Amino acid sequence: MLSLRIAIVATLVSLPFGIFVAYALARWHFPGKTLVAAIVYLPLVLPPVVTGYMLLLAFGRRGIFGSLLAALGIVLSFRWTGAALACAVMGFPLMVRAMRLSFEAVDPRLEQAAGTLGANPLLAFFLVSLPLAMPGVIAGATLAFARALGEFGATITFVSNIPGETQTIASAIYTFIQVPGGDPAALRLTLVSIAIALVAIVASEIFQRRGEKRLAGSA
Amino acid sequence: MIDVDVARRVPGFCLKVAFKNGAGITALFGRSGAGKSMTIGLVAGLAKPDRGRIVLDDRVLVDTQKRIFVPSHKRRIGVVFQDSHLFPHFGVRQNLLFGRWFAPRGARSVGFDAVVQTLGIAHLLERAPATLSGGERQRIAIGRALLSDPRLLLLDEPFAALDLQNRLEILPLIERLRDEFKIPILYVSHAVEEVARLAAWAVVLDDGQVVAQGDPADVLRPAFGEDPRFASASILAMQVGRRDTAYGLTQLIHPAGSIWIAGGAGMQGGRVRVVVQATNVTLAASRPQGLSVQGALEGRIARVETSGALALVEIELVGEGRLSAMATRRALDDLGLRRGDLVFALVKTAAIDERLVGGTSSAPARNAG
C-alpha cells in the first residue's frame, strides 16, 4: 500500500518538527512569532493546488531547494518521497494546532518545579511537558496521518499521478472513476480508505483515554 | 547562608530587598502583595532581577554587574510552592525521586528512608498525586524538594491552601526538618503564628521593601491586617514551666510573671513563643486576686494609642518583650492608667491556641543580619 507508506513516512518525519514548532508557539515569545504561526497554518487555508504548485516551484528539479537536493542525489518531484513531502506539509498545520493546544494546557509551573529540582530545560521537556501533552501529540499525529491519507490536491499538483510511484489512494480513486467500468475498483478503494481511517481514529481515542486515565490517577 | 540584595521593577510594583539568613528558619513575612513570592522567584532563579546580587554559600548565583545568572536547575535550591506542583503523570515515589536523578552523586546527604519517615509518607508511596489530600500533597512536595539535596529550601506559603487542621499537622514536620536535616530554610508566610513558632529570624516586607528584620518576637509588631483591633498581637518568648496533669494545663514562665495554657507545650525548660491577641489581654492596676484568669504579667505602659472608643496599650514587660493590650478608653481613665504606669496584664488561658505554641530550636540560631 503506497498510500499507507506515504502517510506513515509523512507523519513520522514531520512529528519532531511538529512537536518543536508546537512547543515553541505555545511557550516561547520571540519576534516574528505571529509570522511563523501564519506560515505554519497557511496550507490549512490555501487551496491545496496552490500549496502543491509552490512545492513544485521550490522543490522541483529547477526549484531553489530542489536543485540543491538534486545535487545531493535527492529528487522529490514525481517521486513517492515528494508525495510524502506534500502530505507532510498539508498535515503539518493540523498536527501543530492540536499539539500547541495541549502544550499550552500543561502548567508551566510544573516545568519550573522540574527546574528547581535540577532538571535542565531539555530534560524537563522530555520528562514533564511531553508526557503531559502526549494525548494532544497523539491526536495531532493522527490528524496529520488522516490528512496524509486523504491528501489529493497538493500531491497531484506536485508529483502528479503516476501508478506505483506517486499514485495515492485518493488519486487512484479519482483515476478509476474517470475511466468507464472503473466504479467497482473505486468502491473497493473507498472501503479500504474508510477502514484505515476508522482504525486510526479508534486507535488514537484509545491512546488518548489511556493517557487521561493515568493523569486522573486511577492507581 | 544566602545573601540577597536585588531590585526588580514590573508594571505597578517595585521590589527592592536586601537581607541575609542564618541557620535554621528565616521567615519572609508580609501581607499579600508585599513582594514575598517575587523575592522567592528571584532567589530560585525563576525570574531575573533588574539589578543586584544573590550569593549562596560563597557561590555567586546572580550578579547583574558581572552578568552572572545561574539558571534555576543549577542553583540547588529546593522550592515548595503554594500548590504542590506534583507531576501528575508520575506516582508519589517517582515524584520524590525526581530531583535525586539530578543531584550530584557525592552530595547526597539526605536519605530517602529518613525523609519518608520524617514526613510520615510511607503509606503514600505507591499512590498517584491526584488521589492525595492537600496536606498529603504538600508533604510529598516537601519530600521531593528535600531529596534533591538542596543547599537552601524555599517554602512559599506552603500551607496557605490548607485548612487549620492540616496546617497544625504539618507545622511540627517543618520543625523536625529544621532540626534533623540542617538545611537552611527560607519560609514565606503571612501568618504571625507560623512565623512565631518556626522562625529564628524574620524579614518583614511591605510594598516591596524590607521594613524590619530581626527576632520574630521583636519585629512582628505592629500586626498586619485589615482591622487593627483584631489583628494586633504580640509574640512572647517564654519558657515551659510545670505541668498540672490533673487539669491538663501547662505553665509558661516569663520574667514578668507566668501564664497557663491548655494542653502541653513540649519539654519542661524548653523555649517557646506564644502569640497573644491584644483583644485577649485584660489590664489591672494592681496584682489581681480571685479572678478566673490564671496568669498575670507585670510591666510598664510604654505607649497608648487611642482610636475612637478603644485604646491600644503597649506594655514594656519586666525582663524582655512587649505586650499589646486592647482596652476601652474609659477603662484606662477609670483605672487612671497612663504612660509609665505599672500594670498587670491578664491573659485568658482559653484564648491561646495551644496547638500553635511551638518550640524554637533548643539552641536558638541567631545571626547578625
Side-chain angles (χ1 to χ4, degrees):
Chain A
M1 286 297 284
L2 184 63
S3 271
L4 215 48
R5 180 168 64 171
I6 290 172
I8 289 171
V9 168
T11 309
L12 289 183
V13 170
S14 60
L15 194 58
F17 299 101
I19 291 173
F20 174 77
V21 171
Y23 187 78
L25 289 177
R27 276 285 186 276
W28 300 340
H29 299 280
F30 51 89
K33 179 171 166 173
T34 317
L35 190 68
V36 170
I39 291 171
V40 166
Y41 294 144
L42 207 53
L44 203 58
V45 276
L46 276 181
V49 178
V50 173
T51 308
Y53 186 59
M54 280 167 57
L55 283 173
L56 191 58
L57 289 181
F59 289 95
R61 274 171 199 274
R62 270 162 299 180
I64 315 162
F65 303 110
S67 50
L68 279 173
L69 288 173
L72 297 170
I74 302 166
V75 178
L76 291 171
S77 54
F78 306 109
R79 299 285 164 81
W80 77 269
T81 45
L85 176 67
C87 290
V89 168
M90 292 304 289
F92 202 64
L94 295 167
M95 181 183 266
V96 169
R97 255 172 84 91
M99 292 179 183
R100 178 183 180 177
L101 286 176
S102 65
F103 277 124
E104 278 170 355
V106 174
D107 190 341
R109 292 175 305 179
L110 287 176
E111 293 165 19
Q112 292 187 342
T116 62
L117 291 166
N120 66 40
L122 196 67
L123 279 167
F125 172 77
F126 279 109
L127 289 170
V128 177
S129 322
L130 189 59
L132 286 173
M134 204 38 105
V137 170
I138 291 168
T142 314
L143 280 172
F145 179 74
R147 188 80 187 82
L149 272 182
E151 164 46 30
F152 177 71
T155 313
I156 208 160
T157 315
F158 181 32
V159 293
S160 182
N161 183 4
I162 305 160
E165 184 64 45
T166 65
Q167 190 173 61
T168 62
I169 220 169
S171 45
I173 293 171
Y174 176 74
T175 310
F176 279 125
I177 55 179
Q178 295 295 308
V179 296
D183 281 355
L187 197 60
R188 245 194 343 264
L189 284 178
T190 305
L191 291 176
V192 168
S193 75
I194 290 174
I196 294 173
L198 275 178
V199 168
I201 290 170
V202 169
S204 85
E205 278 287 314
I206 290 171
F207 272 124
Q208 225 163 327
R209 207 166 307 149
R210 195 181 293 171
E212 279 160 16
K213 214 183 253 173
R214 213 164 42 147
L215 290 192
S218 52
Chain B
M1 191 183 88
I2 188 149
D3 184 347
V4 178
D5 184 356
V6 288
R8 181 163 193 248
R9 186 188 288 273
V10 295
F13 189 74
C14 184
L15 182 85
K16 192 176 185 312
V17 293
F19 64 89
K20 293 176 189 175
N21 79 329
I25 298 180
T26 301
L28 272 184
F29 180 81
R31 71 185 110 203
S32 49
K36 302 178 306 250
S37 290
M38 189 190 265
T39 307
I40 287 289
L42 291 175
V43 173
L46 303 177
K48 283 187 188 182
D50 296 334
R51 63 200 160 73
R53 262 167 71 88
I54 299 175
V55 182
L56 176 61
D57 297 337
D58 301 327
R59 181 172 169 226
V60 178
L61 298 180
V62 176
D63 189 330
T64 48
Q65 273 184 357
K66 292 184 188 154
R67 296 177 178 278
I68 296 172
F69 181 82
V70 178
S72 63
H73 65 275
K74 289 186 184 151
R75 291 195 180 189
R76 301 196 48 218
I77 293 179
V79 187
V80 178
F81 299 91
Q82 235 174 75
D83 346 81
S84 49
H85 296 350
L86 297 180
F87 303 123
H89 57 304
F90 290 137
V92 166
R93 184 189 293 276
Q94 288 94 317
N95 264 287
L96 286 170
L97 290 172
F98 189 92
R100 199 141 190 85
W101 301 336
F102 309 112
R105 271 165 209 285
R108 286 184 186 174
S109 56
V110 180
F112 183 78
D113 294 333
V115 169
V116 168
Q117 205 197 341
T118 304
L119 295 171
I121 51 178
H123 61 293
L124 302 174
L125 288 179
E126 308 308 325
R127 301 262 293 273
T131 65
L132 304 178
S133 73
E136 289 169 336
R137 293 168 65 86
Q138 281 311 47
R139 275 189 274 167
I140 305 302
I142 292 168
R144 183 177 70 171
L146 268 179
L147 283 166
S148 68
D149 269 297
R151 287 153 165 263
L152 175 72
L153 197 56
L154 305 180
L155 305 182
D156 186 4
E157 305 213 29
F159 314 124
L162 302 185
D163 56 30
L164 183 66
Q165 193 51 46
N166 265 312
R167 219 179 301 170
L168 294 172
E169 280 171 20
I170 292 191
L171 281 178
L173 286 180
I174 304 288
E175 290 178 327
R176 300 239 299 268
L177 294 186
R178 173 190 68 193
D179 300 339
E180 280 176 33
F181 295 107
K182 308 284 180 217
I183 297 169
I185 296 175
L186 203 55
Y187 184 91
V188 171
S189 179
H190 63 254
V192 181
E193 288 88 352
E194 282 177 19
V195 174
R197 172 165 180 171
L198 297 172
W201 192 258
V203 177
V204 183
L205 293 185
D206 191 27
D207 201 24
Q209 309 265 339
V210 175
V211 291
Q213 55 182 317
D215 189 285
D218 300 331
V219 298
L220 291 192
R221 277 170 315 107
F224 291 81
E226 301 309 319
D227 184 347
R229 178 164 153 207
F230 297 108
S232 298
S234 342
I235 299 165
L236 298 178
M238 306 187 90
Q239 205 171 16
V240 180
R242 69 194 165 84
R243 205 164 200 164
D244 183 341
T245 42
Y247 287 100
L249 299 170
T250 304
Q251 189 187 33
L252 299 180
I253 302 167
H254 189 274
S258 68
I259 60 172
W260 290 85
I261 62 164
M267 293 272 290
Q268 185 161 1
R271 291 180 62 81
V272 292
R273 291 205 192 95
V274 185
V275 178
V276 182
Q277 304 285 326
T279 46
N280 290 326
V281 180
T282 308
L283 295 178
S286 56
R287 188 172 288 281
Q289 304 287 332
L291 285 177
S292 71
V293 173
Q294 294 273 336
L297 300 170
E298 193 179 343
R300 282 188 186 280
I301 296 180
R303 202 160 64 97
V304 178
E305 199 177 300
T306 55
S307 145
L310 298 175
L312 183 66
V313 182
E314 252 188 50
I315 304 153
E316 184 87 54
L317 293 174
V318 171
E320 54 161 0
R322 285 183 168 214
L323 179 65
S324 299
M326 190 67 81
T328 59
R329 252 184 326 123
R330 186 171 69 184
L332 287 187
D333 285 345
D334 286 354
L335 291 169
L337 289 176
R338 258 165 304 159
R339 201 164 154 261
D341 284 352
L342 193 69
V343 280
F344 293 88
L346 312 173
V347 181
K348 200 164 185 247
T349 298
I352 295 174
D353 190 340
E354 71 279 5
R355 297 168 302 179
L356 289 172
V357 174
T360 56
S361 54
S362 41
R366 294 287 169 88
N367 80 18

